[in-house]
Amino acid sequence: MFRFIAADLKRNLAGAAIVALIIALATALGVAVTLQERALRLGSARAASAFDLVIGAPGSETQLVLSSVFLQAAPLPLVPGTVLSGLARDPRVAWAAPIGFGDFAGDSPIVGTTAELVAGMGGVSEGQVFSKLGEALVGALADHKIGDAITPLHGRLGEGGHAHAEARYTVVGRLKPTGTPWDHAVLVPIEAVWAIHEHHDEDEEEHEGAEHHEEEEHEHHLDFSRPIDPAALSAPEAPGLPAILVKPKTFADAYKLRMEYRTDRTLAVFPGEVLTRLYGTLGDARRVLTAVAAGAQGLVAASILLVVVVHILQRRRQIGALRAFGAPRGVVFSIVFLETFAVIGVGVLAGFGLGWLAARSISSILTEESGIAMPVVFTAEDWLAALALLAATVVIAAIPSALAYRQSPAEALRG
């Protein structure tokens, strides 16, 4: 029987391959949607897990998290610098680190912060932590090497940005991998960011009101050779900050701090809470796409069933000949069932493979653009879905098999 099935499939190889490919593409659509949505959820959750609490000025909670945790540059209102000094003295806080951004090194965002954040993210894999204003750390996947000199750019050159020619950073260390956008970032002392932009503002004041101004490169440079002064962070005249990342000592402290800093002057959020709301939106989109994929699979299944039934009707004389030569009804049923199940089953399994490859490709592109590692993994839910599709295949394959089973050999031969 199996030799007969193999010979029959070989004779109709082109048609069987086309049917299997159509089924595979329809299955892959649903699988890719499910895997990609899960990868985005897992990747963003892991990226946010390193930061328990984010404090900034009142405004959009979503933008605060996207800018501070995922380094999606956007103008944020500034929280007073005195908030940082208050958090540093708070016994409920393990560490509090400011972040300031707006500058770039190529495509890598430059983030002004402190050594506390470096330690909180796992420390360095090589080199050392910055100790002077002109020193920088690079993320695990950044293109820069230890010893490289970096000239910060305000914004991106292709988007109207300009170079801070008066400033130079020297790379002194590399961060350990985190699987987050911080792997592509350049970390510098927050005091250096303040000094650069204060210097830039002074230059603009000098040229204000001039009738004619030619582009020139400043011959004087900022003094970045001096050591970092921790007292500058707690000084009353400390500049405002876009955001402060906070590590509470306990779970209870985190909720107390969040409640205490949700005022008309400050905003405190848990990144996980913001992501949960975003996941709700993603879930809605996933349900729509899953419904579209299910509809496509249903149409394909109906079309394949119609094709198989027509194919069986066209082979009535062959089936009648098998019966006339003494093949039992059960054998005829098994031949038709196994052929149909093999073609559709191969399409379903190939669809899971194609869906996985598609999700991996999309995740690779998104990881390259965002820096968020997105794991594409199958779960028990996916294997249950595969079993459900194979069970549906059994039902579909049984319909033409039943038609062949009930067929009378005499009528088939006469026809």
PDB file of all heavy atoms in Angstrom, residues 309-324 327-330 332-333 336 399-415:
ATOM      1  N   VAL A 309     -11.526  16.588  -3.435  1.00  0.00           N
ATOM      2  CA  VAL A 309     -12.768  15.891  -3.767  1.00  0.00           C
ATOM      3  C   VAL A 309     -12.912  15.761  -5.278  1.00  0.00           C
ATOM      4  O   VAL A 309     -13.265  14.679  -5.809  1.00  0.00           O
ATOM      5  CB  VAL A 309     -13.981  16.631  -3.166  1.00  0.00           C
ATOM      6  CG1 VAL A 309     -15.284  16.060  -3.722  1.00  0.00           C
ATOM      7  CG2 VAL A 309     -13.965  16.517  -1.642  1.00  0.00           C
ATOM      8  N   VAL A 310     -12.658  16.834  -6.012  1.00  0.00           N
ATOM      9  CA  VAL A 310     -12.720  16.773  -7.478  1.00  0.00           C
ATOM     10  C   VAL A 310     -11.708  15.764  -8.008  1.00  0.00           C
ATOM     11  O   VAL A 310     -11.991  14.986  -8.939  1.00  0.00           O
ATOM     12  CB  VAL A 310     -12.470  18.174  -8.076  1.00  0.00           C
ATOM     13  CG1 VAL A 310     -12.318  18.086  -9.596  1.00  0.00           C
ATOM     14  CG2 VAL A 310     -13.602  19.114  -7.709  1.00  0.00           C
ATOM     15  N   HIS A 311     -10.518  15.744  -7.396  1.00  0.00           N
ATOM     16  CA  HIS A 311      -9.480  14.805  -7.819  1.00  0.00           C
ATOM     17  C   HIS A 311      -9.942  13.363  -7.603  1.00  0.00           C
ATOM     18  O   HIS A 311      -9.718  12.494  -8.462  1.00  0.00           O
ATOM     19  CB  HIS A 311      -8.196  15.074  -7.031  1.00  0.00           C
ATOM     20  CG  HIS A 311      -7.053  14.199  -7.416  1.00  0.00           C
ATOM     21  ND1 HIS A 311      -6.512  14.183  -8.682  1.00  0.00           N
ATOM     22  CD2 HIS A 311      -6.352  13.284  -6.692  1.00  0.00           C
ATOM     23  CE1 HIS A 311      -5.517  13.312  -8.736  1.00  0.00           C
ATOM     24  NE2 HIS A 311      -5.405  12.751  -7.544  1.00  0.00           N
ATOM     25  N   ILE A 312     -10.604  13.092  -6.480  1.00  0.00           N
ATOM     26  CA  ILE A 312     -11.097  11.744  -6.200  1.00  0.00           C
ATOM     27  C   ILE A 312     -12.181  11.347  -7.206  1.00  0.00           C
ATOM     28  O   ILE A 312     -12.213  10.214  -7.709  1.00  0.00           O
ATOM     29  CB  ILE A 312     -11.634  11.668  -4.763  1.00  0.00           C
ATOM     30  CG1 ILE A 312     -10.482  11.839  -3.766  1.00  0.00           C
ATOM     31  CG2 ILE A 312     -12.343  10.346  -4.517  1.00  0.00           C
ATOM     32  CD1 ILE A 312      -9.394  10.794  -3.871  1.00  0.00           C
ATOM     33  N   LEU A 313     -13.064  12.292  -7.502  1.00  0.00           N
ATOM     34  CA  LEU A 313     -14.124  11.992  -8.474  1.00  0.00           C
ATOM     35  C   LEU A 313     -13.541  11.703  -9.847  1.00  0.00           C
ATOM     36  O   LEU A 313     -14.064  10.866 -10.602  1.00  0.00           O
ATOM     37  CB  LEU A 313     -15.106  13.167  -8.540  1.00  0.00           C
ATOM     38  CG  LEU A 313     -15.936  13.404  -7.263  1.00  0.00           C
ATOM     39  CD1 LEU A 313     -16.798  14.653  -7.433  1.00  0.00           C
ATOM     40  CD2 LEU A 313     -16.797  12.188  -6.945  1.00  0.00           C
ATOM     41  N   GLN A 314     -12.469  12.393 -10.193  1.00  0.00           N
ATOM     42  CA  GLN A 314     -11.830  12.158 -11.489  1.00  0.00           C
ATOM     43  C   GLN A 314     -11.114  10.800 -11.543  1.00  0.00           C
ATOM     44  O   GLN A 314     -10.831  10.285 -12.625  1.00  0.00           O
ATOM     45  CB  GLN A 314     -10.843  13.275 -11.805  1.00  0.00           C
ATOM     46  CG  GLN A 314     -11.499  14.621 -12.116  1.00  0.00           C
ATOM     47  CD  GLN A 314     -10.472  15.727 -12.331  1.00  0.00           C
ATOM     48  OE1 GLN A 314      -9.314  15.588 -11.940  1.00  0.00           O
ATOM     49  NE2 GLN A 314     -10.912  16.809 -12.966  1.00  0.00           N
ATOM     50  N   ARG A 315     -10.806  10.261 -10.384  1.00  0.00           N
ATOM     51  CA  ARG A 315     -10.091   8.975 -10.323  1.00  0.00           C
ATOM     52  C   ARG A 315     -11.029   7.816  -9.977  1.00  0.00           C
ATOM     53  O   ARG A 315     -10.595   6.796  -9.436  1.00  0.00           O
ATOM     54  CB  ARG A 315      -8.959   9.071  -9.295  1.00  0.00           C
ATOM     55  CG  ARG A 315      -7.916  10.111  -9.648  1.00  0.00           C
ATOM     56  CD  ARG A 315      -6.877  10.247  -8.568  1.00  0.00           C
ATOM     57  NE  ARG A 315      -6.140   9.008  -8.368  1.00  0.00           N
ATOM     58  CZ  ARG A 315      -5.253   8.818  -7.380  1.00  0.00           C
ATOM     59  NH1 ARG A 315      -5.024   9.793  -6.529  1.00  0.00           N
ATOM     60  NH2 ARG A 315      -4.629   7.667  -7.251  1.00  0.00           N
ATOM     61  N   ARG A 316     -12.315   7.964 -10.284  1.00  0.00           N
ATOM     62  CA  ARG A 316     -13.286   6.923  -9.946  1.00  0.00           C
ATOM     63  C   ARG A 316     -12.927   5.585 -10.613  1.00  0.00           C
ATOM     64  O   ARG A 316     -13.022   4.531  -9.985  1.00  0.00           O
ATOM     65  CB  ARG A 316     -14.684   7.354 -10.388  1.00  0.00           C
ATOM     66  CG  ARG A 316     -15.243   8.508  -9.572  1.00  0.00           C
ATOM     67  CD  ARG A 316     -16.660   8.810 -10.004  1.00  0.00           C
ATOM     68  NE  ARG A 316     -17.538   7.668  -9.697  1.00  0.00           N
ATOM     69  CZ  ARG A 316     -18.762   7.546 -10.179  1.00  0.00           C
ATOM     70  NH1 ARG A 316     -19.242   8.450 -11.032  1.00  0.00           N
ATOM     71  NH2 ARG A 316     -19.504   6.506  -9.848  1.00  0.00           N
ATOM     72  N   ARG A 317     -12.489   5.626 -11.857  1.00  0.00           N
ATOM     73  CA  ARG A 317     -12.195   4.369 -12.566  1.00  0.00           C
ATOM     74  C   ARG A 317     -10.979   3.679 -11.957  1.00  0.00           C
ATOM     75  O   ARG A 317     -10.942   2.456 -11.847  1.00  0.00           O
ATOM     76  CB  ARG A 317     -11.955   4.655 -14.045  1.00  0.00           C
ATOM     77  CG  ARG A 317     -13.197   5.187 -14.748  1.00  0.00           C
ATOM     78  CD  ARG A 317     -13.027   5.178 -16.239  1.00  0.00           C
ATOM     79  NE  ARG A 317     -12.916   3.801 -16.755  1.00  0.00           N
ATOM     80  CZ  ARG A 317     -12.708   3.492 -18.028  1.00  0.00           C
ATOM     81  NH1 ARG A 317     -12.562   4.472 -18.915  1.00  0.00           N
ATOM     82  NH2 ARG A 317     -12.638   2.242 -18.424  1.00  0.00           N
ATOM     83  N   GLN A 318      -9.976   4.475 -11.550  1.00  0.00           N
ATOM     84  CA  GLN A 318      -8.795   3.870 -10.919  1.00  0.00           C
ATOM     85  C   GLN A 318      -9.174   3.201  -9.608  1.00  0.00           C
ATOM     86  O   GLN A 318      -8.742   2.083  -9.311  1.00  0.00           O
ATOM     87  CB  GLN A 318      -7.717   4.936 -10.674  1.00  0.00           C
ATOM     88  CG  GLN A 318      -6.440   4.365 -10.069  1.00  0.00           C
ATOM     89  CD  GLN A 318      -5.432   5.454  -9.733  1.00  0.00           C
ATOM     90  OE1 GLN A 318      -5.800   6.611  -9.611  1.00  0.00           O
ATOM     91  NE2 GLN A 318      -4.184   5.079  -9.583  1.00  0.00           N
ATOM     92  N   ILE A 319     -10.008   3.888  -8.824  1.00  0.00           N
ATOM     93  CA  ILE A 319     -10.451   3.330  -7.547  1.00  0.00           C
ATOM     94  C   ILE A 319     -11.307   2.087  -7.786  1.00  0.00           C
ATOM     95  O   ILE A 319     -11.187   1.072  -7.083  1.00  0.00           O
ATOM     96  CB  ILE A 319     -11.223   4.388  -6.743  1.00  0.00           C
ATOM     97  CG1 ILE A 319     -10.282   5.532  -6.354  1.00  0.00           C
ATOM     98  CG2 ILE A 319     -11.860   3.783  -5.503  1.00  0.00           C
ATOM     99  CD1 ILE A 319     -10.983   6.715  -5.726  1.00  0.00           C
ATOM    100  N   GLY A 320     -12.183   2.180  -8.814  1.00  0.00           N
ATOM    101  CA  GLY A 320     -12.999   1.009  -9.140  1.00  0.00           C
ATOM    102  C   GLY A 320     -12.143  -0.171  -9.563  1.00  0.00           C
ATOM    103  O   GLY A 320     -12.439  -1.328  -9.222  1.00  0.00           O
ATOM    104  N   ALA A 321     -11.058   0.088 -10.295  1.00  0.00           N
ATOM    105  CA  ALA A 321     -10.162  -0.991 -10.714  1.00  0.00           C
ATOM    106  C   ALA A 321      -9.503  -1.640  -9.498  1.00  0.00           C
ATOM    107  O   ALA A 321      -9.347  -2.875  -9.433  1.00  0.00           O
ATOM    108  CB  ALA A 321      -9.119  -0.453 -11.679  1.00  0.00           C
ATOM    109  N   LEU A 322      -9.089  -0.819  -8.530  1.00  0.00           N
ATOM    110  CA  LEU A 322      -8.498  -1.385  -7.316  1.00  0.00           C
ATOM    111  C   LEU A 322      -9.477  -2.308  -6.611  1.00  0.00           C
ATOM    112  O   LEU A 322      -9.119  -3.406  -6.159  1.00  0.00           O
ATOM    113  CB  LEU A 322      -8.075  -0.244  -6.372  1.00  0.00           C
ATOM    114  CG  LEU A 322      -6.826   0.552  -6.759  1.00  0.00           C
ATOM    115  CD1 LEU A 322      -6.637   1.730  -5.818  1.00  0.00           C
ATOM    116  CD2 LEU A 322      -5.596  -0.359  -6.729  1.00  0.00           C
ATOM    117  N   ARG A 323     -10.720  -1.854  -6.512  1.00  0.00           N
ATOM    118  CA  ARG A 323     -11.737  -2.689  -5.871  1.00  0.00           C
ATOM    119  C   ARG A 323     -11.980  -3.965  -6.674  1.00  0.00           C
ATOM    120  O   ARG A 323     -12.159  -5.069  -6.104  1.00  0.00           O
ATOM    121  CB  ARG A 323     -13.037  -1.909  -5.730  1.00  0.00           C
ATOM    122  CG  ARG A 323     -12.967  -0.732  -4.756  1.00  0.00           C
ATOM    123  CD  ARG A 323     -12.777  -1.199  -3.318  1.00  0.00           C
ATOM    124  NE  ARG A 323     -13.678  -2.287  -2.973  1.00  0.00           N
ATOM    125  CZ  ARG A 323     -14.993  -2.132  -2.671  1.00  0.00           C
ATOM    126  NH1 ARG A 323     -15.519  -0.906  -2.664  1.00  0.00           N
ATOM    127  NH2 ARG A 323     -15.743  -3.174  -2.386  1.00  0.00           N
ATOM    128  N   ALA A 324     -11.992  -3.832  -8.017  1.00  0.00           N
ATOM    129  CA  ALA A 324     -12.246  -5.002  -8.863  1.00  0.00           C
ATOM    130  C   ALA A 324     -11.131  -6.035  -8.744  1.00  0.00           C
ATOM    131  O   ALA A 324     -11.377  -7.249  -8.858  1.00  0.00           O
ATOM    132  CB  ALA A 324     -12.400  -4.564 -10.323  1.00  0.00           C
ATOM    133  N   ALA A 327      -9.057  -5.200  -3.825  1.00  0.00           N
ATOM    134  CA  ALA A 327      -8.652  -4.330  -2.708  1.00  0.00           C
ATOM    135  C   ALA A 327      -9.854  -4.079  -1.803  1.00  0.00           C
ATOM    136  O   ALA A 327     -10.910  -3.655  -2.282  1.00  0.00           O
ATOM    137  CB  ALA A 327      -8.115  -3.008  -3.236  1.00  0.00           C
ATOM    138  N   PRO A 328      -9.750  -4.343  -0.504  1.00  0.00           N
ATOM    139  CA  PRO A 328     -10.864  -4.095   0.408  1.00  0.00           C
ATOM    140  C   PRO A 328     -11.169  -2.598   0.503  1.00  0.00           C
ATOM    141  O   PRO A 328     -10.338  -1.740   0.186  1.00  0.00           O
ATOM    142  CB  PRO A 328     -10.347  -4.641   1.746  1.00  0.00           C
ATOM    143  CG  PRO A 328      -9.195  -5.520   1.407  1.00  0.00           C
ATOM    144  CD  PRO A 328      -8.602  -4.955   0.165  1.00  0.00           C
ATOM    145  N   ARG A 329     -12.384  -2.285   0.990  1.00  0.00           N
ATOM    146  CA  ARG A 329     -12.759  -0.887   1.168  1.00  0.00           C
ATOM    147  C   ARG A 329     -11.794  -0.162   2.112  1.00  0.00           C
ATOM    148  O   ARG A 329     -11.454   0.990   1.900  1.00  0.00           O
ATOM    149  CB  ARG A 329     -14.174  -0.799   1.745  1.00  0.00           C
ATOM    150  CG  ARG A 329     -15.270  -1.179   0.786  1.00  0.00           C
ATOM    151  CD  ARG A 329     -16.630  -1.105   1.489  1.00  0.00           C
ATOM    152  NE  ARG A 329     -17.717  -1.474   0.607  1.00  0.00           N
ATOM    153  CZ  ARG A 329     -18.416  -0.616  -0.123  1.00  0.00           C
ATOM    154  NH1 ARG A 329     -18.130   0.673  -0.064  1.00  0.00           N
ATOM    155  NH2 ARG A 329     -19.392  -1.035  -0.901  1.00  0.00           N
ATOM    156  N   GLY A 330     -11.371  -0.874   3.168  1.00  0.00           N
ATOM    157  CA  GLY A 330     -10.469  -0.255   4.137  1.00  0.00           C
ATOM    158  C   GLY A 330      -9.143   0.170   3.526  1.00  0.00           C
ATOM    159  O   GLY A 330      -8.573   1.206   3.870  1.00  0.00           O
ATOM    160  N   VAL A 332      -8.678   0.978   0.315  1.00  0.00           N
ATOM    161  CA  VAL A 332      -8.936   2.150  -0.521  1.00  0.00           C
ATOM    162  C   VAL A 332      -9.053   3.402   0.345  1.00  0.00           C
ATOM    163  O   VAL A 332      -8.493   4.460   0.024  1.00  0.00           O
ATOM    164  CB  VAL A 332     -10.227   1.941  -1.337  1.00  0.00           C
ATOM    165  CG1 VAL A 332     -10.605   3.224  -2.078  1.00  0.00           C
ATOM    166  CG2 VAL A 332     -10.049   0.792  -2.322  1.00  0.00           C
ATOM    167  N   PHE A 333      -9.779   3.274   1.459  1.00  0.00           N
ATOM    168  CA  PHE A 333      -9.913   4.405   2.389  1.00  0.00           C
ATOM    169  C   PHE A 333      -8.537   4.852   2.889  1.00  0.00           C
ATOM    170  O   PHE A 333      -8.222   6.043   2.932  1.00  0.00           O
ATOM    171  CB  PHE A 333     -10.805   4.004   3.565  1.00  0.00           C
ATOM    172  CG  PHE A 333     -10.989   5.084   4.595  1.00  0.00           C
ATOM    173  CD1 PHE A 333     -12.069   5.950   4.525  1.00  0.00           C
ATOM    174  CD2 PHE A 333     -10.080   5.254   5.642  1.00  0.00           C
ATOM    175  CE1 PHE A 333     -12.245   6.958   5.462  1.00  0.00           C
ATOM    176  CE2 PHE A 333     -10.240   6.262   6.580  1.00  0.00           C
ATOM    177  CZ  PHE A 333     -11.328   7.107   6.483  1.00  0.00           C
ATOM    178  N   VAL A 336      -6.364   6.744   0.112  1.00  0.00           N
ATOM    179  CA  VAL A 336      -6.789   8.126  -0.114  1.00  0.00           C
ATOM    180  C   VAL A 336      -6.507   8.986   1.116  1.00  0.00           C
ATOM    181  O   VAL A 336      -6.018  10.121   1.010  1.00  0.00           O
ATOM    182  CB  VAL A 336      -8.295   8.164  -0.469  1.00  0.00           C
ATOM    183  CG1 VAL A 336      -8.768   9.611  -0.615  1.00  0.00           C
ATOM    184  CG2 VAL A 336      -8.547   7.388  -1.748  1.00  0.00           C
ATOM    185  N   ILE A 399     -12.793  13.200   4.596  1.00  0.00           N
ATOM    186  CA  ILE A 399     -13.961  13.457   3.726  1.00  0.00           C
ATOM    187  C   ILE A 399     -13.793  12.801   2.357  1.00  0.00           C
ATOM    188  O   ILE A 399     -14.648  11.999   1.937  1.00  0.00           O
ATOM    189  CB  ILE A 399     -14.212  14.970   3.616  1.00  0.00           C
ATOM    190  CG1 ILE A 399     -14.622  15.531   4.990  1.00  0.00           C
ATOM    191  CG2 ILE A 399     -15.289  15.253   2.579  1.00  0.00           C
ATOM    192  CD1 ILE A 399     -14.771  17.030   5.020  1.00  0.00           C
ATOM    193  N   PRO A 400     -12.705  13.081   1.610  1.00  0.00           N
ATOM    194  CA  PRO A 400     -12.561  12.378   0.314  1.00  0.00           C
ATOM    195  C   PRO A 400     -12.339  10.879   0.491  1.00  0.00           C
ATOM    196  O   PRO A 400     -12.724  10.084  -0.380  1.00  0.00           O
ATOM    197  CB  PRO A 400     -11.340  13.059  -0.319  1.00  0.00           C
ATOM    198  CG  PRO A 400     -10.579  13.632   0.824  1.00  0.00           C
ATOM    199  CD  PRO A 400     -11.606  14.040   1.830  1.00  0.00           C
ATOM    200  N   SER A 401     -11.734  10.491   1.603  1.00  0.00           N
ATOM    201  CA  SER A 401     -11.523   9.056   1.845  1.00  0.00           C
ATOM    202  C   SER A 401     -12.859   8.346   2.011  1.00  0.00           C
ATOM    203  O   SER A 401     -13.034   7.208   1.541  1.00  0.00           O
ATOM    204  CB  SER A 401     -10.662   8.861   3.094  1.00  0.00           C
ATOM    205  OG  SER A 401      -9.432   9.544   2.971  1.00  0.00           O
ATOM    206  N   ALA A 402     -13.805   9.006   2.685  1.00  0.00           N
ATOM    207  CA  ALA A 402     -15.137   8.411   2.853  1.00  0.00           C
ATOM    208  C   ALA A 402     -15.847   8.288   1.514  1.00  0.00           C
ATOM    209  O   ALA A 402     -16.567   7.298   1.264  1.00  0.00           O
ATOM    210  CB  ALA A 402     -15.956   9.261   3.820  1.00  0.00           C
ATOM    211  N   LEU A 403     -15.670   9.280   0.631  1.00  0.00           N
ATOM    212  CA  LEU A 403     -16.268   9.189  -0.700  1.00  0.00           C
ATOM    213  C   LEU A 403     -15.710   7.989  -1.458  1.00  0.00           C
ATOM    214  O   LEU A 403     -16.464   7.251  -2.135  1.00  0.00           O
ATOM    215  CB  LEU A 403     -16.000  10.475  -1.485  1.00  0.00           C
ATOM    216  CG  LEU A 403     -16.691  11.744  -0.988  1.00  0.00           C
ATOM    217  CD1 LEU A 403     -16.245  12.941  -1.817  1.00  0.00           C
ATOM    218  CD2 LEU A 403     -18.213  11.598  -1.054  1.00  0.00           C
ATOM    219  N   ALA A 404     -14.406   7.783  -1.383  1.00  0.00           N
ATOM    220  CA  ALA A 404     -13.792   6.635  -2.063  1.00  0.00           C
ATOM    221  C   ALA A 404     -14.248   5.325  -1.437  1.00  0.00           C
ATOM    222  O   ALA A 404     -14.443   4.314  -2.134  1.00  0.00           O
ATOM    223  CB  ALA A 404     -12.268   6.750  -2.000  1.00  0.00           C
ATOM    224  N   TYR A 405     -14.425   5.308  -0.119  1.00  0.00           N
ATOM    225  CA  TYR A 405     -14.838   4.107   0.605  1.00  0.00           C
ATOM    226  C   TYR A 405     -16.233   3.658   0.158  1.00  0.00           C
ATOM    227  O   TYR A 405     -16.504   2.467  -0.002  1.00  0.00           O
ATOM    228  CB  TYR A 405     -14.819   4.394   2.106  1.00  0.00           C
ATOM    229  CG  TYR A 405     -15.250   3.239   2.967  1.00  0.00           C
ATOM    230  CD1 TYR A 405     -14.336   2.275   3.375  1.00  0.00           C
ATOM    231  CD2 TYR A 405     -16.577   3.125   3.388  1.00  0.00           C
ATOM    232  CE1 TYR A 405     -14.725   1.217   4.170  1.00  0.00           C
ATOM    233  CE2 TYR A 405     -16.983   2.061   4.185  1.00  0.00           C
ATOM    234  CZ  TYR A 405     -16.051   1.112   4.571  1.00  0.00           C
ATOM    235  OH  TYR A 405     -16.452   0.062   5.367  1.00  0.00           O
ATOM    236  N   ARG A 406     -17.139   4.609  -0.060  1.00  0.00           N
ATOM    237  CA  ARG A 406     -18.520   4.286  -0.389  1.00  0.00           C
ATOM    238  C   ARG A 406     -18.724   4.006  -1.878  1.00  0.00           C
ATOM    239  O   ARG A 406     -19.808   3.602  -2.291  1.00  0.00           O
ATOM    240  CB  ARG A 406     -19.423   5.450   0.022  1.00  0.00           C
ATOM    241  CG  ARG A 406     -19.428   5.704   1.524  1.00  0.00           C
ATOM    242  CD  ARG A 406     -20.300   6.883   1.872  1.00  0.00           C
ATOM    243  NE  ARG A 406     -21.680   6.642   1.414  1.00  0.00           N
ATOM    244  CZ  ARG A 406     -22.642   7.559   1.474  1.00  0.00           C
ATOM    245  NH1 ARG A 406     -22.373   8.769   1.948  1.00  0.00           N
ATOM    246  NH2 ARG A 406     -23.867   7.270   1.048  1.00  0.00           N
ATOM    247  N   GLN A 407     -17.723   4.242  -2.672  1.00  0.00           N
ATOM    248  CA  GLN A 407     -17.879   4.121  -4.117  1.00  0.00           C
ATOM    249  C   GLN A 407     -18.029   2.656  -4.537  1.00  0.00           C
ATOM    250  O   GLN A 407     -17.268   1.779  -4.110  1.00  0.00           O
ATOM    251  CB  GLN A 407     -16.660   4.752  -4.813  1.00  0.00           C
ATOM    252  CG  GLN A 407     -16.746   4.764  -6.332  1.00  0.00           C
ATOM    253  CD  GLN A 407     -15.588   5.536  -6.919  1.00  0.00           C
ATOM    254  OE1 GLN A 407     -15.489   6.746  -6.771  1.00  0.00           O
ATOM    255  NE2 GLN A 407     -14.693   4.824  -7.577  1.00  0.00           N
ATOM    256  N   SER A 408     -18.986   2.377  -5.386  1.00  0.00           N
ATOM    257  CA  SER A 408     -19.215   1.028  -5.904  1.00  0.00           C
ATOM    258  C   SER A 408     -18.276   0.741  -7.070  1.00  0.00           C
ATOM    259  O   SER A 408     -18.198   1.546  -8.015  1.00  0.00           O
ATOM    260  CB  SER A 408     -20.667   0.886  -6.379  1.00  0.00           C
ATOM    261  OG  SER A 408     -20.832  -0.313  -7.123  1.00  0.00           O
ATOM    262  N   PRO A 409     -17.542  -0.354  -7.058  1.00  0.00           N
ATOM    263  CA  PRO A 409     -16.594  -0.646  -8.155  1.00  0.00           C
ATOM    264  C   PRO A 409     -17.295  -0.820  -9.496  1.00  0.00           C
ATOM    265  O   PRO A 409     -16.781  -0.399 -10.531  1.00  0.00           O
ATOM    266  CB  PRO A 409     -15.896  -1.925  -7.701  1.00  0.00           C
ATOM    267  CG  PRO A 409     -16.812  -2.532  -6.676  1.00  0.00           C
ATOM    268  CD  PRO A 409     -17.491  -1.386  -6.015  1.00  0.00           C
ATOM    269  N   ALA A 410     -18.475  -1.444  -9.494  1.00  0.00           N
ATOM    270  CA  ALA A 410     -19.185  -1.653 -10.759  1.00  0.00           C
ATOM    271  C   ALA A 410     -19.603  -0.337 -11.393  1.00  0.00           C
ATOM    272  O   ALA A 410     -19.412  -0.127 -12.609  1.00  0.00           O
ATOM    273  CB  ALA A 410     -20.404  -2.540 -10.515  1.00  0.00           C
ATOM    274  N   GLU A 411     -20.149   0.572 -10.573  1.00  0.00           N
ATOM    275  CA  GLU A 411     -20.569   1.869 -11.099  1.00  0.00           C
ATOM    276  C   GLU A 411     -19.358   2.679 -11.570  1.00  0.00           C
ATOM    277  O   GLU A 411     -19.430   3.380 -12.594  1.00  0.00           O
ATOM    278  CB  GLU A 411     -21.332   2.650 -10.020  1.00  0.00           C
ATOM    279  CG  GLU A 411     -22.676   2.041  -9.653  1.00  0.00           C
ATOM    280  CD  GLU A 411     -23.391   2.847  -8.579  1.00  0.00           C
ATOM    281  OE1 GLU A 411     -22.792   3.877  -8.143  1.00  0.00           O
ATOM    282  OE2 GLU A 411     -24.487   2.452  -8.159  1.00  0.00           O
ATOM    283  N   ALA A 412     -18.273   2.577 -10.820  1.00  0.00           N
ATOM    284  CA  ALA A 412     -17.076   3.326 -11.207  1.00  0.00           C
ATOM    285  C   ALA A 412     -16.541   2.858 -12.556  1.00  0.00           C
ATOM    286  O   ALA A 412     -16.172   3.646 -13.415  1.00  0.00           O
ATOM    287  CB  ALA A 412     -15.996   3.171 -10.144  1.00  0.00           C
ATOM    288  N   LEU A 413     -16.529   1.519 -12.779  1.00  0.00           N
ATOM    289  CA  LEU A 413     -16.008   0.995 -14.036  1.00  0.00           C
ATOM    290  C   LEU A 413     -16.948   1.319 -15.197  1.00  0.00           C
ATOM    291  O   LEU A 413     -16.488   1.593 -16.308  1.00  0.00           O
ATOM    292  CB  LEU A 413     -15.802  -0.519 -13.916  1.00  0.00           C
ATOM    293  CG  LEU A 413     -14.647  -0.930 -12.972  1.00  0.00           C
ATOM    294  CD1 LEU A 413     -14.626  -2.448 -12.821  1.00  0.00           C
ATOM    295  CD2 LEU A 413     -13.320  -0.447 -13.529  1.00  0.00           C
ATOM    296  N   ARG A 414     -18.257   1.239 -14.938  1.00  0.00           N
ATOM    297  CA  ARG A 414     -19.201   1.609 -15.994  1.00  0.00           C
ATOM    298  C   ARG A 414     -19.064   3.084 -16.367  1.00  0.00           C
ATOM    299  O   ARG A 414     -19.159   3.470 -17.516  1.00  0.00           O
ATOM    300  CB  ARG A 414     -20.640   1.336 -15.523  1.00  0.00           C
ATOM    301  CG  ARG A 414     -21.016  -0.144 -15.631  1.00  0.00           C
ATOM    302  CD  ARG A 414     -22.533  -0.289 -15.607  1.00  0.00           C
ATOM    303  NE  ARG A 414     -23.117   0.275 -14.417  1.00  0.00           N
ATOM    304  CZ  ARG A 414     -23.338  -0.414 -13.284  1.00  0.00           C
ATOM    305  NH1 ARG A 414     -23.005  -1.695 -13.250  1.00  0.00           N
ATOM    306  NH2 ARG A 414     -23.897   0.166 -12.249  1.00  0.00           N
ATOM    307  N   GLY A 415     -18.813   3.968 -15.326  1.00  0.00           N
ATOM    308  CA  GLY A 415     -18.670   5.392 -15.585  1.00  0.00           C
ATOM    309  C   GLY A 415     -17.411   5.691 -16.387  1.00  0.00           C
ATOM    310  O   GLY A 415     -17.376   6.585 -17.190  1.00  0.00           O
TER     311      GLY A 415
END
